[in-house]
Each structure stands twice: as structure tokens, then as C-alpha cells.
Amino acid sequence: MIIHILAAGASKGLVLNLQARFTSETGYEIDGVFNAVGSIREKFVAGDVCDVLILTAKQIAELTIEGLLVPGSAKPLGAVSTGVAVPMSHAAPDISTAPGLAAALQLAKGIYIPDPYNSTAGIHFMKILKKLGIDEKVAPYLKPYPNGATAMRHLADSSAENAIGSTQITEIKYTPGLALVGALPPEFGLSTVYSAAVSAKAIHPQAAHLLVDLLTGGSTQILREQSGFEIPTE
């Protein structure tokens, strides 16, 4: 028996870490498709097989209103900040300020980012380049990939001088060979809340609810925090 997940790339590390536990507890295996949020939303709306959907909380709310998700099934995993990474062997630049980030980007001969049109982090990063006034200067060194996970894998293997990249911190943390430099400077900070919900057309709705509960429940809070999710305290 298989549970099908369509999910934002930011949640991939968490889902993979919980896969064996979920199968052990329920007997269901997880078949997950992870990509930029725009791409995942398009797949879901187009009718791709899906029991559990993980997207931004805003997108989940919209799709619930449209009747595509089970009302009341949505639960937050937590917020994820967009961060900056370099290959493990490289010295970490100071990106704590806007000038520091601009300097680091202008020194880089390879800037690795997720889809600048369909991913949360990629869209935001392109806006930052414009605000810094360096978008045209660094354009030749931009290396966009379909999602953050792919971009970060290529960054980890990069031999480009002063290689650097940006995506969701969760995607940075589960990529071997990368060092998390830190979150974006405060004025460019982006924290995105992700939620999981049960599809209105779920083939295995009961198991889907169990998976949402596991992904968002108290028993996995520490794991989510270690993965890069920020859990609000009440």
C-alpha cells in the first residue's frame, strides 16, 4: 500500500526522515514527488495522484477554499527561512548585512538557486538582486535549477570560484557537502510557513490523515527543528 505525496522541496528532508517510521507504524509506504511550490501546485490541480499535499500555508488555504483539500485537515509543519550556503570546503562569507551579501555575490563565479519563476526562494532571490542593484552584473554567473534540492547538490559539487547559493534552509541542511552560512540579512529575510493537508481525492484518506498528524505533531517537533523548521511557541 502506498501513500502518494506532492510536496514543496522544503519538506523533503523531513518526509524522508520519517518514511521508515510511518511505514513501520501503518504498513503504508510513501511515494513522494518534491519540487518548487509552483510546479507542485500545478501537478496537484492538474489531477496528479495525491493523498497528502504539502505547500505554503497560503496555497493550502486557497486550495481548501476551492474544494480540492479536505476541510479542517490542514496543519502547519512550521516556518522555514531562506538561507545562504557554500560548499563545505569554502570559507563562509559575511552575509549578515546587505553590503556583505552583495560583496559575496559579486565575488562568486557560480550562484546556485532554485527556479526563479516557480520556487519561493528563487523568486525572492531575484528580487533581492534587483534591490541590491547587482542583478545585471551577476546574471552571467546565475545557475538556476528546477528546485532547491537540485541546486544545492550542484553547489556542493561546484568548483566555481567563491561558489554560493540560496534556498530554503531545510534544503541546505539535508544536502551533504554544504555549509549553512546563515539566513538572509534581516531586511531581505523571508520566512515561509508550510502546511500539510489531505487531498479531497485521496485514495487512502485515513492513512493520509495519520501522515499529516505525524508530520506536524508533537512527536516530530524536535526533528522538524533540527531539519530547519521554526516552530512557534505559544
Side-chain angles (χ1 to χ4, degrees):
M1 297 180 291
I2 298 175
I3 285 287
H4 294 274
I5 299 181
L6 292 178
S11 67
K12 185 175 181 179
L14 175 66
V15 173
L16 294 182
N17 271 316
L18 291 173
Q19 194 165 240
R21 173 179 168 181
F22 182 73
T23 299
S24 175
E25 292 178 355
T26 68
Y28 284 85
E29 295 184 358
I30 296 175
D31 179 23
V33 175
F34 304 90
N35 212 329
V37 291
S39 175
I40 291 298
R41 188 184 189 284
E42 288 177 4
K43 288 179 178 294
F44 179 71
V45 172
D48 281 24
V49 177
C50 177
D51 292 293
V52 172
L53 180 70
I54 302 175
L55 286 174
T56 68
K58 180 180 179 181
Q59 290 170 319
I60 291 292
E62 292 171 348
L63 292 168
T64 300
I65 292 173
E66 293 174 19
L68 299 179
L69 296 169
V70 175
S73 68
K75 296 181 179 180
L77 283 77
V80 179
S81 293
T82 301
V84 174
V86 296
M88 192 72 74
S89 59
H90 290 205
D94 180 5
I95 52 93
S96 61
T97 65
L101 177 62
L105 292 172
Q106 290 177 91
L107 286 174
K109 302 306 180 185
I111 302 173
Y112 296 76
I113 60 171
D115 191 321
Y117 303 102
N118 286 304
S119 74
T120 302
I123 293 169
H124 185 65
F125 188 79
M126 297 305 291
K127 292 178 180 177
I128 291 174
L129 294 182
K130 286 187 177 295
K131 290 179 180 178
L132 290 173
I134 62 173
D135 50 317
E136 293 184 3
K137 184 173 182 178
V138 303
Y141 305 107
L142 289 179
K143 297 185 180 296
Y145 289 88
N147 50 65
T150 304
M152 293 303 102
R153 286 199 302 272
H154 283 274
L155 172 61
D157 295 334
S158 177
S159 59
E161 184 180 355
N162 298 313
I164 196 170
S166 179
T167 190
Q168 306 289 52
I169 284 179
T170 50
E171 293 176 304
I172 294 171
K173 277 179 169 278
Y174 72 71
T175 303
L178 284 189
L180 172 64
V181 179
L184 291 166
E187 59 265 52
F188 297 135
L190 176 66
S191 181
T192 305
V193 177
Y194 290 90
S195 292
V198 178
S199 170
K201 295 183 179 179
I203 298 173
H204 305 288
Q206 185 174 359
H209 280 283
L210 291 175
L211 180 55
V212 170
D213 288 343
L214 178 62
L215 289 168
T216 64
S219 69
T220 60
Q221 178 174 330
I222 293 177
L223 177 60
R224 279 180 282 147
E225 291 174 338
Q226 291 173 340
S227 299
F229 285 90
E230 301 159 17
I231 314 298
T233 56
E234 299 180 353

